[in-house]
Each structure stands twice: as structure tokens, then as C-alpha cells.
Amino acid sequence: MSTFLGTPSLPAGTGNLRGAQSFPAAARKALGDSQLRANLGAATATIRAKRSAAVAEVPDWEQLRAAGSALKATALQRLPELLAQFEANVIARGGTVHWARDAAEANRIATELIRATGSTEVVKVKSMATQEIGLNEYLAEHGITAYETDLAELIVQLGHDTPSHFLVPAIHRNRAEIREIFLREMPGVDPAITDDPRVLATAARTYLRQKFLTAKVAISGANFGVAETGTLAVVESEGNGRMCLTLPETLITVLGIEKLVPAFTDLEVFLQLLPRSSTAERMNPYTSMWTGVHPGDGPQRVHVILLDNGRTRVLADETGRAALHCIRCSACLNVCPVYERVGGHAYGSVYPGPIGAILSPQLTGVTGRDDPNASLPYASTLCGACFDACPVRIDIPGILVHLRAAEVDARRGGLPGPQDLAMKAASAVMASPSRFAAAERVTKLGRLLGRMRGRITALPYPGSKWTTSRDLPMPPAETFRQWWSRTHDGSR
Amino acid sequence: MGSDARAEILARIRAAGSIAPVPIPRDYDHAPRSGPGDAERFATMVADYRAQVHRTTESGIADLVTALLPPGATVVAPADLPESWRPRTTLVLDGDPRPLSVTELDAADAVLTGCRLGIAATGTLVLDAGPAQGRRALTLVPDHHICVVRAADIVDTVPQAFRALDPSRPLTFVSGPSATSDIELNRVEGVHGPRTLDVILVGPAFG
């Protein structure tokens, strides 16, 4: 299959990185779901306000962002060296390191490791990497049951649903829907359960407690890996992470190769940026760090699977590689006017929102105009709120424009589309003052179309290409040039 | 197969092309001096995350811990818990004579430990399995954690903490009790970790 986005020579990522339909088609469906829009609108408004307050407390926030961005760039620049150093340190401390080129290889390695323990059940800490490779589905096909232990992941798993947000995967569900899911799917749940969040959280605690205390194998991702020491760090809130990282005998961690930081003390930057950006807390309730095996304390068999799955492809794009700086805080989702209205599922990939719109198409490559991921760089208003919110200063709007340009370049030479014709016409009109003045007189006709509602909601073709997805403001009664000549006596 | 994947991934990274190095600006607030930090700020931040903060002197710890527990409570603690901290209740030591099973930890009413340090800016306790802290499971499974932090072990900032910590030890940062915001972004304390966190701040000024 030919790929025209990014460097074709490097293999594409596989797994849950591509939806079945284009963003506009999926978004149209989401926009019709008023429950989804109400749940999302309330949740994102709440988190936006909290995040602003948490960030405002930190006087050196901009300096921390600059340091975080530079540290991530440095990690990519020194990647081969840092990976080798990380591997050597994990091994020196009693751990084992595996390398996986793609989703299938990572899934195979994890399954073999679980089989070697004789266990057919695993407990899991929420992890984007294992969602990306579709590990739960693969394990199920091979007779191994994976229990998600993060409350929101549990809601998604019991609801036979897919996550729609990095941090709050069940952000699209309200308490009444969650109660229904628990009643229907949670073994042993109290039939009189209410929809009070406290009661629902307690039900999840009771359900998972026995799993934690008896599980032999746990699977996690990690937020950071430290090359200098071989340390892994997991940032979480509920304590389910600590349960998985501490109680089972075997721990398998799937780590994207871009997650390395050079030195242990570099974590001081990210542990200030991440909690405030994601949950708007000064610090998340629990952060666990472990280095290989700690004798007598925690898992005595520790495995790390280093995952490529398209990351080297992203690395090859000079502009686009900054997408690999992402620390999965979800701040860009919470401020995005597009995400707020359509939710995470419309993006198809496990990586939703503005960061997903640049990460997913680069990880998979785009195979043609019909590829759902080809539409993702257009799933944005380019308002720039995501760049302002990003704790590691990823220029998401800049990369969106870069990817749009790459896509247009790739299909240059064919028949011009309606957009090309419209742009060509606009360019001709704007190049000449007299043509522009004539066009302005024509737009006054638009006032007739918009008279009823103050905006134009339907234009004839080709204008309909614009108005099927957005309204056009009604043209003014007088243009600037008309106003100028009226108030300046016709002099120039 | 494994070494093939390793070689191939490293080759792919090299094929992606070399990247110019960038300088790392380190002008964020380092506050390089270590503790003692601002104990009152630490107490305010801890309390803001709905943990209970208590103040006492070294000699008052045992009485305070006893008062925080219901009558007849069973408390687990690391084997090296200082004698002067031990409450007048049933105290079971982990690792003396043997490590406790998870079932025994689950049956305990509370766990009593010290910590490596506290961070004032964020209200965070850091445990590193050092003296009076025990292994990680100890402070995780019981539903009530009572943690003693000396005012002298408080630092002000996250960078100060990282300079004092040893990455070769298992580290747990604790900021308030277990919590979730997964249901309509309402913060609910207590999901899987300890639902009650009592922090005992110890200093000569707290008599």
C-alpha cells in the first residue's frame, strides 16, 4: 500500500489508530447526539476553568514549558543512545527488556510472557500504548482476560464501549448512564445502587478488590522512562496503578520509545507540568517509580516492551516529529472547540482531539483520499487554543497546516476539486481592485438570502460545499470601501 | 527475533535522519537549597486535598496516633517503626517475624509509617522504602494511612525533592488520599488506595 504522508520508507503503525469513517462523517453523527454534547460540554467547561487556576499558581510556568519542550526534543535527538542506556540500566537492576516493531509484535511478546506465568487473568493500569496496540482484544482471542482497573476504563470496558479521552475515557458518559452500565454488567453489584459518584466509585472498589489481591500478572504503560537510571514512572489518582505495580509477581510495561527522558532529575519538570495540565491538580494523588526489581518489595519479574509502531515514521518528519513530545495530559482536548462538540470517538483513533489529529495520520501514514486519517488534519478551526494549553509547547496548529500542505502536494496534478476552483476564483477577484469592488456589490445580494435569520445557512452549489457544515454571516449593508468613499468625499 | 527487532528499530531511528541538538533552558525555579521548607504551607496544601493534618512534638506521636484510631483497632507498621511512635492498640509489624500476607494487610484497620520527605508547594509525601516506611504494599492495602512527617524533612519545591531522592529505591509520591474524577469530573476520595490519610506533622514548635 502506498503512503503519501511522511516518509514512505519507514513502516506504518498498526492497531487502533484508524476509524472506519472520515472525521466529517463521524462528527456529523456525534453532533446529533444531544446527550453526548451535554456531557462533554459540562465536563470540558469544568476542567478548563480548573486548569487555568492551577496553572496561574505557578510563576515559572512558561519557563517550565520551555524546559519540557527542549527536554523532549533532546530525547528524540539522542534516542538511540538513550534507549541503549535505558535498556542496560533496566537489565542491570534485574528487569528484562523486549523490543516490538509494531502492534502485532508487542501483543505477541506480552502474551508469551503471560503464558509463561501460567495465568489466564491480568489486571491492567490505564495505558494509551496498550489501547493503541489493541492488547485487550488480542489477549481475549488467546484465552486471557484483561481487567481494566481505572474507574473510567472499567466503565468503558463494562459498557462494551471505546475510550473517548486520554484522561477521562468515559467523559462522554454521565452518572445515570454509568449506573445503568454497572447494574447491567458488574457481577455482584447491589441492585439498589444509586447514581451518586461516591456510591458508584465504592461499587468499583468492591468489584476490583479481590482481583487486585489475587492477580499474578499486571500490565501497565508508563508516563516516563529515565535513561540514566532505568526508572519507570506511572502517574495516577485512584491507587489502582499502585495496586497493579506493587501486588502481582509479574509486571509487564509497554513503553513507547518516545517516552524517555535523559536524567532522573528531568522528571522535576514533567511532574510540575503534567498534573496541573491534565487534572488541574497541584500534584496527582499517586506517582509510582520503580527501577528494575526491588527485592522483597513489589513484582519480582519485571518486563519492559519498547514499542515503535510508527513512531520512527513520525520522527522522520522534521516538522511533524514534535507530535512525539506529547505527554498525554489531554489539555488540548479540553480547550478544543471541535473536540468539545464531537467528542473523542469521531477521531477514529485511540488518540483523539488536536494531538490525535496530528499524531494518528503520521503514525499510520495516509493511504489515499479515502483513508479516514486523511481527514484528521482538517478536524480543526486552527484557533490555536491547543498550542496555548500544551505544557510542552507542541505547535499543533502549525503541524496541522503542515500535514494539510503535504496532503495537497501529494495529490497535485489531478483534476482540480471544488476547493481549488474556489480558491483560484478568489485569487483572481482579489488581485484586481475593480473586480473586488464588483464582487462586493454581488455580496449585497447575500443580504436577501440571510434576511430571515441574520445568517446564510444554504447557498447553491458550489457554495453549498461551505454551507453544509457552517453558516455564512450576512454581508454588511455597506462595505468598508463604500463607507470610505462616502465619508471621505470620494477622495482616495 | 528480539535482537532483530532491537537492531531494526535502532536502524529506523537512524534512517529518520539526524536531529540538531537544542539547548535546554533551566531558568525555571530550581530553589537548589534543600529543607527545611515551609511547614505551614505544606500543611495547608495537604489539607486542601482533604487529608487531615495534625501537629505534635516527637514525644506526642504515640498519643496522637492512639487518638486517631477507633478502640481495639489493628494497626500494621514496618518492623523498624520507632518505639516512641507505637500506639496503645494492637500493633502488627510487617517482616517481624515474617512479611504479612495481602489478606492480613487487607484486614488491618490502619497502617502507620514515616516518610522520606514532604513537598510544600504541592502537599506531597514521598516514601522511598527507607527507615520507618516499609515496602510499598504496606501503605497501599490498608484503608487508613497515618503518616508521620518531620518538619525538618519538608522541602519547598518539586526540584528540591528530586535532588534529595535516590532513583534506585522504589518511590511513591502521595498527594492526599486516593481520588477519582472519572464521573462527570466530580472529585471523589477513595477508590482503590487508602481512603483516609492522616498526616502527623512533627516539630519542636508544635508542642
Side-chain angles (χ1 to χ4, degrees):
Chain A
M1 205 181 289
S2 72
T3 55
F4 67 72
L5 199 64
T7 304
S9 62
L10 288 161
T14 54
N16 297 323
L17 289 170
R18 188 183 265 123
Q21 53 187 165
S22 71
F23 181 84
R28 199 166 291 123
K29 191 167 145 230
L31 285 169
D33 184 343
S34 55
Q35 179 73 68
L36 174 90
R37 290 186 62 171
N39 295 352
L40 273 170
T44 51
T46 304
I47 192 82
R48 275 202 300 271
K50 283 188 183 170
R51 193 198 71 96
S52 300
V55 167
E57 272 188 13
V58 184
D60 56 342
W61 185 254
E62 289 306 320
Q63 288 93 319
L64 286 166
R65 285 179 82 204
S69 174
L71 278 167
K72 282 293 186 178
T74 299
L76 296 185
Q77 185 243 324
R78 295 173 51 197
L79 198 51
E81 165 205 344
L82 295 183
L83 282 166
Q85 194 186 9
F86 174 79
E87 177 187 47
N89 283 316
V90 170
I91 293 170
R93 298 297 308 272
T96 311
V97 176
H98 313 261
W99 299 68
R101 282 165 280 208
D102 57 18
E105 190 165 23
N107 287 333
R108 264 199 315 277
I109 294 168
T111 306
E112 280 163 24
L113 291 171
I114 297 163
R115 279 202 173 137
T117 69
S119 189
T120 55
E121 287 188 350
V122 296
V123 286
K124 275 193 72 205
V125 192
K126 183 169 100 64
S127 114
M128 295 308 299
T130 60
Q131 281 171 26
E132 174 188 323
I133 63 177
L135 180 61
N136 290 8
E137 299 92 307
Y138 186 90
L139 291 178
E141 286 165 23
H142 291 78
I144 297 166
T145 310
Y147 293 96
E148 290 292 349
T149 64
D150 170 81
L151 176 56
E153 284 291 344
L154 179 66
I155 294 165
V156 167
Q157 191 177 40
L158 291 176
H160 309 291
D161 199 355
T162 52
S164 62
H165 191 278
F166 293 132
L167 174 74
V168 202
I171 196 170
H172 57 293
R173 298 286 199 183
N174 65 23
R175 62 182 76 188
E177 294 175 295
I178 294 165
R179 175 180 171 273
E180 289 299 318
I181 291 169
F182 280 14
L183 268 179
R184 199 171 61 235
E185 303 280 345
M186 187 182 276
V189 74
D190 177 0
I193 189 171
T194 69
D195 67 2
D196 176 359
R198 193 165 299 274
V199 172
L200 293 167
T202 306
R205 179 186 176 99
T206 308
Y207 169 65
L208 287 173
R209 191 77 176 173
Q210 209 49 36
K211 301 257 182 291
F212 285 133
L213 299 186
T214 56
K216 300 273 181 265
V217 185
I219 295 177
S220 82
N223 296 83
F224 306 101
V226 181
E228 172 195 53
T229 58
T231 304
L232 288 162
V234 164
V235 174
E236 52 125 4
S237 292
E238 296 175 7
N240 67 308
R242 294 181 66 195
M243 290 278 180
C244 294
L245 303 171
T246 309
L247 297 182
E249 292 162 7
T250 301
L251 172 62
I252 302 165
T253 302
V254 182
L255 186 76
I257 54 172
E258 83 285 15
K259 293 268 178 168
L260 292 188
V261 298
F264 178 65
T265 50
D266 293 334
L267 293 178
E268 73 194 14
V269 174
F270 298 108
L271 282 189
Q272 294 187 80
L273 291 169
L274 179 55
R276 289 181 201 261
S277 298
S278 62
T279 51
E281 293 167 304
R282 295 187 187 100
M283 188 65 94
N284 51 293
Y286 297 125
T287 298
S288 299
M289 297 184 209
W290 70 101
T291 306
V293 173
H294 300 286
D297 185 351
Q300 297 301 295
R301 281 189 292 274
V302 171
H303 297 273
V304 184
I305 302 174
L306 291 170
L307 179 71
D308 177 352
N309 203 37
R311 284 159 179 75
T312 44
R313 263 189 119 265
V314 187
L315 194 64
D317 187 314
E318 199 179 329
T319 305
R321 73 167 66 111
L324 295 175
H325 295 186
C326 175
I327 57 173
R328 314 280 189 258
C329 72
S330 69
C332 63
L333 278 59
N334 299 327
V335 299
C336 177
V338 176
Y339 177 88
E340 181 182 334
R341 283 161 181 82
V342 302
H345 291 156
Y347 295 81
S349 160
V350 297
Y351 298 110
I355 185 68
I358 59 171
L359 195 54
S360 306
Q362 292 198 90
L363 284 169
T364 60
V366 171
T367 54
R369 293 184 78 169
D370 298 337
D371 184 337
N373 279 358
S375 62
L376 287 180
Y378 296 90
S380 168
T381 63
L382 300 181
C383 74
C386 49
F387 181 29
D388 291 341
C390 179
V392 290
R393 293 181 53 88
I394 301 172
D395 179 6
I396 297 174
I399 298 176
L400 285 165
V401 171
H402 165 72
L403 295 178
R404 290 180 189 187
E407 199 236 340
V408 169
D409 280 345
R411 50 187 178 76
R412 209 178 283 286
L415 287 173
Q419 185 177 319
D420 305 323
L421 291 175
M423 286 298 164
K424 204 161 264 180
S427 156
V429 167
M430 289 177 184
S432 140
S434 60
R435 281 200 289 259
F436 195 74
E440 280 182 342
R441 284 192 293 277
V442 175
T443 63
K444 288 190 76 174
L445 289 173
R447 290 184 62 78
L448 297 172
L449 289 167
R451 191 180 288 160
M452 294 301 287
R453 295 199 282 172
R455 57 184 196 273
I456 300 163
T457 54
L459 282 175
Y461 185 87
S464 60
K465 296 292 266 183
W466 177 273
T467 54
T468 48
S469 52
R470 3 168 153 55
D471 295 341
L472 203 62
M474 193 161 72
E478 184 179 41
T479 68
F480 173 78
R481 288 147 63 100
Q482 287 163 341
W483 169 83
W484 183 270
S485 56
R486 178 167 58 79
T487 55
H488 291 74
D489 246 358
S491 63
R492 302 190 74 172
Chain B
M1 190 185 79
S3 63
D4 289 354
R6 182 186 195 278
E8 189 170 330
I9 291 171
L10 292 174
R12 287 177 187 178
I13 296 170
R14 292 194 183 94
S18 71
I19 303 174
V22 291
I24 300 168
R26 298 277 189 182
D27 55 345
Y28 56 86
D29 183 10
H30 271 86
R33 293 180 306 282
S34 59
D38 185 338
E40 286 310 314
R41 185 181 181 204
F42 172 77
T44 304
M45 294 304 178
V46 170
D48 201 34
Y49 280 146
R50 299 183 210 176
Q52 287 79 47
V53 183
H54 316 271
R55 293 171 180 79
T56 189
T57 55
E58 191 76 31
S59 60
I61 297 172
D63 282 347
L64 181 52
V65 174
T66 308
L68 290 174
L69 293 164
T74 301
V75 181
V76 293
D80 61 351
L81 191 80
E83 289 288 341
S84 64
W85 294 9
R86 300 187 179 191
R88 292 177 299 283
T89 183
T90 308
L91 185 69
V92 184
L93 298 178
D94 182 44
D96 181 16
R98 59 177 177 79
L100 300 172
S101 69
V102 283
T103 318
E104 287 167 310
L105 293 178
D106 195 32
D109 294 296
V111 53
L112 172 63
T113 70
C115 65
R116 171 67 185 80
L117 55 82
I119 308 172
T122 56
T124 302
L125 299 161
V126 181
L127 289 91
D128 74 349
Q133 296 164 54
R135 60 196 167 112
R136 286 173 286 171
L138 193 63
T139 52
L140 170 65
V141 181
D143 200 14
H144 180 184
H145 182 193
I146 303 173
C147 188
V148 177
V149 53
R150 291 196 172 88
D153 291 334
I154 290 169
V155 298
D156 283 323
T157 66
V158 174
Q160 282 175 324
F162 270 90
R163 269 148 189 77
L165 294 172
D166 175 357
S168 70
R169 309 190 70 94
L171 299 170
T172 307
F173 285 46
V174 177
S175 308
S178 158
T180 182
S181 302
D182 282 346
I183 301 172
E184 298 178 15
L185 290 172
N186 283 287
R187 188 175 162 98
V188 176
E189 278 76 32
V191 195
H192 305 298
R195 285 182 284 192
T196 307
L197 177 64
D198 279 299
V199 176
I200 298 181
L201 192 49
V202 179
F206 302 137

